[in-house]
Amino acid sequence: MSAIPERATGEIHIRGGVRLQGKVKVQGSKNAALPILAATILVEGESCLKDCPKISDVYRMLRLLQSLGGHVRWEGEGVCVSTGSITTQDMPEDAITGMRSSLCLLGALLAKCGSIVMEYPGGCVIGERPINLHLQALEQMGVHFCEEEDRICGQAPEGLHGADISLALPSVGATENIILAAVTARGRTRISGAAREPEVEALCRYLNACGARIDGIGSSRLEIQGVRLLHGACYRIPADRIVAGTYLYAALGTRGCILLEQAPCRHMQAVIRMAERMGAICQETGEGLYVQSLGELISPGVIRTGGYPGFPTDMQSVALAVCTMAQGETRIEERIFENRFRVADPLRQMGADIQQLDSHSLLVCGNSLLRGQRVEACELRGGAALVVAGLLAEGETIVTGCEFIERGYGNICKDLRELGARIYSV
Ligand code: UD1
């Protein structure tokens, strides 16, 4: 297989009404893999990342690393990367603007090269997604940014130095960028108000395996002592808690009974507790997460998203899809991103009763009977929510815009077929 395969994009066809049953292995985490791949820029020698998800965002990031002179080789479910000697900063523009997490190259490239010129990153259309916190923190570490219309230009002529950084918001991306900038900077960096997401923890653990000195992992106060050199390491990308949560809610919605092999239960507590309130029995076993529906689907009343360990914003759309069929009303409060309710429209097309209360909240009147329709995905998690809605609906649902879903799910159709769903992509 070539290092970076081309992916076909198209439609997903689903015949709803099948109870999910069986077991499926949960893929590696997208949001853990991407910053870790960016981190390989800082590392001398090869790193082997096991269970790296085969998703389009990863292929894009690998293409960016190759364009910088890096070497990439797949070995079964893992990818081996050596990016240490960067020859150019000439990265393909479409790979940057197509993916929000190309932003983590900012911290890594500044640390490695002392300068950066890159297009503004893209990503899902789920809000304004400013990058002020990233830039302010890097400025504190010695970077001078100059304003250009659609490019980020930064220079640290004397290299990066440690700083005491207090984040006004626990931004995941900003925390990761600061970590990437700090691990080889001169002196000590302290971050207060850091994001505590498991993917930040994974980045820290990988970097420490490479010789970095990061303390306070998993907490909102990180302390990083810069080191001169990082060496390659083998690291297993943790399983994806959002993919696991998607299949958990699909099983709940179809009144199914499934085993999610290797599900990262420790990091899914808010999602598991919510599923239990809605009528699931969830049991954490040595093999993963066992989920059984009790038959009735009950509204949890309110779902309020929040930073980890709160209910993840990336699960909000999938939960919304399931709530449309639950008994009772559910208020959905999105507290991380604005504009994250775009999936409400196609769900209404399928028969859901959803009212927008204000820019951050929806009221879902349950008990709807969803009907299969042709609907369009316009972002990653909303797209997955439409697939779940299709599993719950009567008749055939066709989801278009599948390239968004492929950004984060290696093969959602195959996974769901393993659970008995009638689903295929064309
Ligand atoms: C990451 C995840 C994304 C997830 C999100 C929240 C990756 C690749 N993406 O996105 O899947 O939905 O965390 O868990 O890991 N903000 C600012 N200024 C900044 C940066 C952020 O105001 O400089 C705001 C954002 O607009 C948003 C909030 O902070 O309202 C959280 O964003 P952030 O945690 O940075 O999300 P991402 O890192 O982009």
Side-chain angles (χ1 to χ4, degrees):
M1 184 169 68
S2 75
I4 301 171
E6 287 299 315
R7 305 274 300 173
T9 58
E11 301 175 348
I12 291 179
H13 292 233
I14 309 148
R15 268 215 168 265
V18 177
R19 277 170 202 252
L20 296 189
Q21 271 180 339
K23 59 180 181 178
V24 68
K25 183 182 163 203
V26 179
Q27 70 178 58
S29 159
K30 161 176 121 35
N31 288 355
L34 293 170
I36 289 174
L37 285 169
T40 63
I41 290 178
L42 300 170
V43 167
E44 295 298 325
E46 191 174 72
S47 287
C48 290
L49 305 174
K50 294 182 185 155
D51 287 343
C52 188
K54 293 181 173 172
I55 53 177
S56 64
D57 268 13
V58 161
Y59 295 133
R60 271 211 193 91
M61 178 61 89
L62 293 175
R63 199 150 61 89
L64 283 171
L65 296 178
Q66 284 182 319
S67 71
L68 294 168
H71 297 281
V72 170
R73 160 171 69 81
W74 282 97
E75 271 187 10
E77 297 306 306
V79 69
C80 299
V81 184
S82 59
T83 316
S85 54
I86 286 178
T87 49
T88 167
Q89 282 205 19
D90 197 8
M91 295 178 278
E93 195 180 311
D94 62 319
I96 293 179
T97 50
M99 184 175 64
R100 171 78 182 176
S101 35
S102 53
L103 190 57
C104 29
L105 292 170
L106 186 62
L109 281 174
L110 277 165
K112 183 76 182 181
C113 312
S115 68
I116 178 106
V117 178
M118 70 185 273
E119 312 297 317
Y120 273 101
C124 273
V125 282
I126 56 174
E128 282 181 32
R129 306 189 89 169
I131 58 168
N132 55 317
L133 299 174
H134 303 242
L135 301 185
Q136 279 160 18
L138 292 167
E139 273 173 349
Q140 275 186 264
M141 299 179 75
V143 184
H144 301 288
F145 287 101
C146 62
E147 295 207 9
E148 282 200 25
E149 206 172 302
D150 20 276
R151 293 198 308 176
I152 307 170
C153 301
Q155 285 216 324
E158 285 156 35
L160 298 177
H161 55 75
D164 283 350
I165 297 165
S166 168
L167 283 173
L169 277 173
S171 156
V172 174
T175 304
E176 290 169 346
N177 250 328
I178 301 165
I179 293 168
L180 289 165
V183 279
T184 54
R186 283 190 317 278
R188 184 177 292 269
T189 299
R190 292 187 189 85
I191 314 174
S192 56
R196 289 187 290 156
E197 265 63 6
E199 295 76 23
V200 175
E201 182 177 331
L203 173 65
C204 294
R205 295 207 185 283
Y206 163 71
L207 284 165
N208 274 3
C210 296
R213 290 176 55 194
I214 308 173
D215 282 331
I217 296 177
S219 80
S220 58
R221 290 182 74 84
L222 294 171
E223 211 165 293
I224 303 156
Q225 176 63 50
V227 297
R228 265 170 42 83
L229 205 69
L230 295 174
H231 52 78
C234 268
Y235 184 76
R236 186 178 296 281
I237 303 290
D240 195 309
R241 62 193 172 108
I242 306 301
V243 170
T246 305
Y247 300 160
L248 159 55
Y249 280 53
L252 173 65
T254 60
R255 321 292 205 269
C257 176
I258 65 169
L259 175 67
L260 291 164
E261 288 180 314
Q262 295 178 22
C265 301
R266 182 163 76 86
H267 292 141
M268 293 177 67
Q269 291 303 311
V271 167
I272 291 173
R273 298 287 93 84
M274 190 67 72
E276 287 173 339
R277 275 167 61 187
M278 294 176 71
I281 297 178
C282 297
Q283 208 163 346
E284 300 170 22
T285 73
E287 286 177 285
L289 179 65
Y290 173 76
V291 184
Q292 186 182 5
S293 156
L294 283 171
E296 276 189 314
L297 193 57
I298 307 144
S299 157
V302 182
I303 297 179
R304 194 173 289 124
T305 65
Y308 187 80
F311 191 87
T313 171
D314 286 349
M315 278 298 301
Q316 182 258 103
S317 302
V318 170
L320 164 60
V322 177
C323 287
T324 62
M325 291 186 71
Q327 286 171 32
E329 290 181 348
T330 311
R331 188 184 166 98
I332 309 254
E333 291 178 18
E334 172 55 60
R335 299 202 301 186
I336 307 292
F337 291 111
E338 67 283 6
N339 204 18
R340 209 166 198 186
F341 291 138
R342 293 181 64 170
V343 74
D345 267 341
L347 288 175
R348 284 187 193 105
Q349 249 176 281
M350 295 176 75
D353 184 350
I354 303 169
Q355 294 162 31
Q356 178 113 26
L357 299 175
D358 55 54
S359 60
H360 286 277
S361 30
L362 295 180
L363 185 69
V364 185
C365 301
N367 281 323
S368 297
L369 271 185
L370 299 184
R371 290 176 308 274
Q373 292 284 329
R374 188 180 181 86
V375 283
E376 188 181 355
C378 50
E379 41 95 7
L380 166 58
R381 304 301 171 190
L386 292 176
V387 171
V388 171
L391 296 171
L392 272 52
E394 266 178 14
E396 191 183 36
T397 298
I398 298 173
V399 182
T400 62
C402 293
E403 62 276 17
F404 290 108
I405 300 172
E406 288 171 359
R407 288 191 41 222
Y409 295 78
N411 198 334
I412 197 169
C413 292
K414 182 167 168 287
D415 285 351
L416 290 169
R417 267 199 309 273
E418 281 180 32
L419 299 174
R422 287 179 292 179
I423 180 170
Y424 60 92
S425 62
V426 290

